[in-house]
Amino acid sequence: MHRLLDVDLRLVRIFRAITESQGVAGAELVLNLSQSRISASLAELEARLGVRLCRRGRSGFALTEAGATVYEASQDLFEAVDRF
């Protein structure tokens, strides 16, 4: 059974900031982290989950289907954390 670790929560929070900011550049301001650190965190989360969460580049930012699912689940997760 895979247990949710503190590092997972941190990575999911970073992913949420990227999503809500519509990209890494916007998340940089929100998180006060470098774009390279944010990108590395996103890559780490994608590796841990085994899915690509978003597409980004010249055409803009977009969640993949898996990314949308993870984002929606993260809302429930952090609401539960807040209630706890």
Side-chain angles (χ1 to χ4, degrees):
M1 178 178 176
H2 178 72
R3 299 183 74 192
L4 189 65
L5 305 173
D6 288 342
V7 68
D8 297 322
L9 291 176
R10 181 184 61 80
L11 295 174
V12 173
R13 279 191 174 99
I14 290 171
F15 170 65
R16 285 180 55 79
I18 294 167
T19 300
E20 292 168 0
S21 301
Q22 290 293 300
V24 172
E28 181 180 24
L29 299 172
V30 172
L31 297 168
N32 197 30
L33 295 172
S34 69
Q35 286 187 22
S36 62
R37 183 67 240 156
I38 294 168
S39 292
S41 296
L42 176 60
E44 184 179 349
L45 180 60
E46 289 175 327
R48 290 183 64 79
L49 296 175
V51 295
R52 184 158 182 179
L53 298 173
C54 61
R55 288 185 221 57
R56 54 196 171 121
R58 291 184 179 166
S59 61
F61 174 86
L63 289 176
T64 63
E65 188 175 324
T69 299
V70 169
Y71 181 75
E72 289 173 21
S74 74
Q75 291 176 307
D76 295 335
L77 171 66
F78 288 112
E79 285 174 8
V81 169
D82 288 344
R83 283 192 308 272
F84 180 77

